[in-house]
């Protein structure tokens, strides 16, 4: 990821909250398990049960077509979901293909859904998209690790395993936004407590063990394969594109640098709390961040003024 893409993620998060449509869910889809992908590239699995690599130029082209087709099909799915819920779905999507290990080509999405009914519509659509039967979904509900799922939809926890899960809190939502940026280049500038440094200087060499990762200030760098056959690795819904953000005053110069990826700096800049994000509110949220000491005003307070709401 580039510095511009990181800035875009931050402004999309701020704009979503200002519009009372916070990105309150997380979606993960393994594209290699989708019918759109396997229509073009579906070889027999290797001895470890994984899809083998192409052995010829023709096979490489088929896999590239499969990657593009599955990514485009997912975009159409999200557009169709917006028609079902009565309004376009705001989202940020980051496509990943880790250079080492990982789970093959997959996508992480942050999105806003208005209620649990919309969540269940999404789960049904993703089930069809990944050829997942209702019986398989029931089996997923008994699994402790979403690494076994062809897809997942999460708030504070998985809606697939717990339909009564809460939507993401403000703190979790920003944590997952920072997680989307774990492939950001190491030399990108980051200001921490007024001091200029780089992401490579503040990232750990490796992540903590899985059950301790939530305690990290920032995730370790994850290198991605150079070619994933998808033109744009980082995608935004039209309502979160640069043009739409600029209408509301969320321009690149207001984003600040990548320091917000560090949890402690994020809290210092924006005052992120554990309070729950509403599924939908007809009024603007009371998101008025504290100003960090000895540093420029944070982006959102410089460009929007919102009324306080006592219920948040």
């Amino acid at each position: 990821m580039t510095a511009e893409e990181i800035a875009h993620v931050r402004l999309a998060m701020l704009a979503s909250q200002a519009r009372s449509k916070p990105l309150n869910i997380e979606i993960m889809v393994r594209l290699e398990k989708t019918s759109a992908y396997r229509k073009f590239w579906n070889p027999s699995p290797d001895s470890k049960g994984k899809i083998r690599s192409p052995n010829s130029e023709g096979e490489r082209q088929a896999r590239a077509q499969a990657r593009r087709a599955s990514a485009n099909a997912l975009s159409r799915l999200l557009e169709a979901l917006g028609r079902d819920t009565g309004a376009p779905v705001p989202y940020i999507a980051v496509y990943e293909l880790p250079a080492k290990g990982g789970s093959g080509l997959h996508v992480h999405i942050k999105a806003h859904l208005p209620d649990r009914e919309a969540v269940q519509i999404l789960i049904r659509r993703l089930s069809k998209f990944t050829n997942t039967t209702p019986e398989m979904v029931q089996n997923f509900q008994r699994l402790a690790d979403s690494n076994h799922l062809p897809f997942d939809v999460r708030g504070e926890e998985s809606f697939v395993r717990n339909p009564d899960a809460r939507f993401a809190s403000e703190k979790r939502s920003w944590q997952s936004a920072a997680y989307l940026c774990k492939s950001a280049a190491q030399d990108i500038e980051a200001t921490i407590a007024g001091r200029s440094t780089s992401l490579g200087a503040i990232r750990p060499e490796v992540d903590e063990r899985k059950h301790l990762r939530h305690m990290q200030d920032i995730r370790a760098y994850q290198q991605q394969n150079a070619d994933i056959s998808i033109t744009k690795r980082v995608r935004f819904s039209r309502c979160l594109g640069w043009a739409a953000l600029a209408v509301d005053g969320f321009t690149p110069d207001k984003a600040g640098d990548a320091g917000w990826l560090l949890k402690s700096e994020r809290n210092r800049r924006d005052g992120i709390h554990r309070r729950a994000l509403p599924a939908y509110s007809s009024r603007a949220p009371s998101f008025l961040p504290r100003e960090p000491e000895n540093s420029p005003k944070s982006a959102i307070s410089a460009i929007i003024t919102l009324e306080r709401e006592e219920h948040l």
Side-chain angles (χ1 to χ4, degrees):
M1 290 183 70
T2 65
E4 180 183 358
E5 289 169 335
I6 294 172
H8 198 165
V9 170
R10 174 170 166 76
L11 291 177
M13 289 288 294
L14 294 174
S16 297
Q17 287 202 248
R19 296 168 179 169
S20 294
K21 290 191 175 183
L23 304 186
N24 54 9
I25 65 162
E26 305 157 24
I27 308 166
M28 181 280 299
V29 183
R30 303 188 192 285
L31 295 177
E32 293 178 356
K33 295 182 180 293
T34 66
S35 55
Y37 185 98
R38 296 192 172 186
K39 176 181 178 181
F40 297 98
W41 178 242
N42 189 23
S44 301
D46 61 20
S47 59
K48 296 182 179 180
K50 296 184 177 181
I51 296 178
R52 67 170 175 82
S53 298
N55 294 324
S56 67
E57 181 59 28
E59 288 189 343
R60 281 189 287 273
Q61 291 181 3
R63 185 180 67 177
Q65 188 173 5
R67 290 172 173 176
R68 291 190 293 269
S70 57
N72 292 336
L74 182 58
S75 294
R76 292 193 296 271
L77 184 153
L78 292 172
E79 291 172 5
L81 181 66
R83 291 193 293 270
D84 287 341
T85 59
V89 174
Y91 70 84
I92 306 168
V94 178
Y95 291 82
E96 296 184 343
L97 183 59
K100 296 181 180 179
S103 306
L105 180 64
H106 61 282
V107 59
H108 293 285
I109 303 170
K110 287 195 61 61
H112 170 83
L113 289 182
D115 49 41
R116 284 186 173 81
E117 181 180 356
V119 171
Q120 293 307 311
I121 293 173
L122 173 61
I123 289 174
R124 290 196 294 270
R125 286 189 177 276
L126 289 175
S127 296
K128 183 177 181 180
F129 187 58
T130 58
N131 295 316
T132 305
T133 65
E135 292 75 20
M136 293 171 68
V137 173
Q138 290 179 356
N139 289 335
F140 295 159
Q141 293 174 356
R142 295 192 289 271
L143 294 174
D145 191 341
S146 63
N147 286 336
H148 297 283
L149 306 180
F151 70 89
D152 202 2
V153 181
R154 302 183 66 89
E156 283 295 296
E157 56 183 303
S158 172
F159 284 105
V160 176
R161 293 194 293 271
N162 178 13
D164 296 324
R166 294 186 299 119
F167 285 90
S169 66
E170 183 182 9
K171 182 175 182 179
R172 180 180 176 89
S173 186
W174 278 94
Q175 284 176 340
S176 61
Y179 174 81
L180 294 184
C181 302
K182 62 184 182 294
S183 63
Q186 294 281 62
D187 60 353
I188 289 177
E189 181 181 350
T191 301
I192 309 299
R195 294 186 176 184
S196 181
T197 182
S198 67
L199 289 180
I202 61 175
R203 281 169 162 162
E205 291 188 10
V206 295
D207 284 325
E208 295 284 351
R209 293 184 179 182
K210 192 164 187 178
H211 68 287
L212 296 175
R213 286 180 187 172
H214 71 282
M215 299 175 66
Q216 292 182 204
D217 241 7
I218 188 171
R219 293 294 295 267
Y221 171 61
Q222 185 183 75
Q223 185 177 358
Q224 302 292 309
N225 275 287
D227 180 21
I228 64 173
S229 309
I230 295 174
T231 305
K232 290 186 177 181
R233 290 174 181 257
V234 185
R235 301 184 180 188
F236 298 82
S237 58
R238 182 171 298 181
C239 60
L240 293 179
W242 282 121
L245 292 176
V247 170
D248 290 341
F250 293 90
T251 51
D253 59 298
K254 306 292 179 57
D257 62 24
W260 70 271
L261 296 180
L262 192 76
K263 187 190 305 182
S264 55
E265 178 66 16
R266 187 162 65 246
N267 292 344
R268 184 180 297 111
R269 292 185 187 186
D270 298 330
I272 306 302
H273 303 293
R274 289 184 177 274
R275 63 190 178 203
L277 292 175
Y280 175 77
S281 170
S282 59
R283 295 178 60 196
S286 60
F287 186 70
L288 289 173
R290 295 191 299 268
E291 302 293 351
E293 295 181 2
N294 302 320
S295 65
K297 286 188 175 182
S298 69
I300 190 169
S301 61
I303 54 183
I304 60 174
T305 301
L306 302 172
E307 293 183 356
R308 294 274 184 186
E309 287 185 0
E310 294 182 356
H311 70 278
L312 287 180

